[in-house]
Amino acid sequence: MKLIHLSDLHLGKRVNEFSMIEDQEYILREILGIVREEEPDGVLIAGDIYDKSVPSVEAVELFDDFLKRLARQKTPVFIISGNHDSPERLAFAAELIEPSGIYIAPAYNGKVAPVSLSDAHGEVHIYMLPFIKPVHVRRIFPEDKVESYTDAVRAAIAHMNVAESERNILMTHQFVTGAARSDSEDICVGGSDNVDASVFQVFDYVALGHIHGPQNAGGEKARYCGSPLKYSFSEAGHRKSVTVVEMEEKGQVKVREVELSPLHDMRELRGTYEELADRRNYVGTKTDDYIHIILTDEEDVVDAMGKLRVIYPNLMKLDYDNRRTRENRELTGGEAEEARSPMEMILEFYEKQNNRPMSEKQAALAAELMENIWEENL
């Protein structure tokens, strides 16, 4: 059984006010080529199909075209919603299009029935669990103790009644504890969205979405395939790919990556204005990539962005790294401040205001209140 694992398409996304729709159209064509070459038994798309719960018309049209082309290739497709998607909108008319081999998980209702595929070793059962929060599961199973995201996913899996002796795949869109994040992913209050990988033990492979860098999560059985494109400069060093999963008999799973080549790469350049403006330094290099320039000049260059865009038309971002900016970072906390969680900042604020740290009870209450607000607004 061969499957291709995708996630985090984020169709319709804008990065630094640049529309990514042309890049997304290009990379989906490349993925279709990989599907034709690999001839998989199915394609798994593990959430965040769109970048917004109400996607743009061009984003919907792009995904519609992608699905039509997969259907023409007679490739079954399995789709779940992520935290950026509206599960109800995504699953519109799902039962009508299912005969075409397109399976879309509905909004979570406590019932996750598997779709089964067959090969020489028997059946493989694919369970499609969309992005869920504790509030969703508590509402459906009030008798279960669901206080955390781990509890929520564990309870949802328990109610699937998975037969452990058979080959089983789970598709889900969650943050597994320990996974390496980037700037383009949503971060929950105090890391309270963490899911422990131990909840996935009954599955032979877990096709994860949510994290944009390809990586295993809590072992080789659970994997993030990553996003097909770079969506922030914190991802500039990523090698984007699709994951190919090959399953043989029970317990035998092989995973490999097929690298993707984008229309425009995302790169960071560093140097003085004169160095970066000298075309001779970049003969033969691709200057229409998405660029973040870090100028090291001690004095600001007048209209540096406008001037440099003559050479780098897709210059997205420009910063300075010099004595003045380093001193500012030391005074304000700079980049380290941005990386801190809301919970860490509120703990520090409370201590500065009250000359003593929060008690464990107060910290737990603050975390619960922020989590409730986050649940109500996402």
Side-chain angles (χ1 to χ4, degrees), residues 292 294 319-321 329-330 332-340:
H292 173 204
I294 303 167
D319 290 311
Y320 283 87
D321 183 14
R329 282 199 293 272
E330 288 172 7
T332 64
E335 295 168 348
E337 187 74 22
E338 293 178 10
R340 296 169 65 203

Side-chain angles (χ1 to χ4, degrees), residues 131-172:
F131 174 69
I132 55 171
K133 295 187 264 188
V135 66
H136 299 148
V137 181
R138 282 196 297 265
R139 189 182 302 128
I140 296 165
F141 302 115
E143 70 281 4
D144 290 358
K145 184 180 180 181
V146 178
E147 296 178 351
S148 66
Y149 276 72
T150 295
D151 292 340
V153 176
R154 181 184 289 115
I157 291 171
H159 287 277
M160 293 177 193
N161 298 315
V162 179
E164 294 188 43
S165 61
E166 300 185 25
R167 293 180 297 167
N168 302 295
I169 291 175
L170 176 69
M171 297 173 61
T172 193

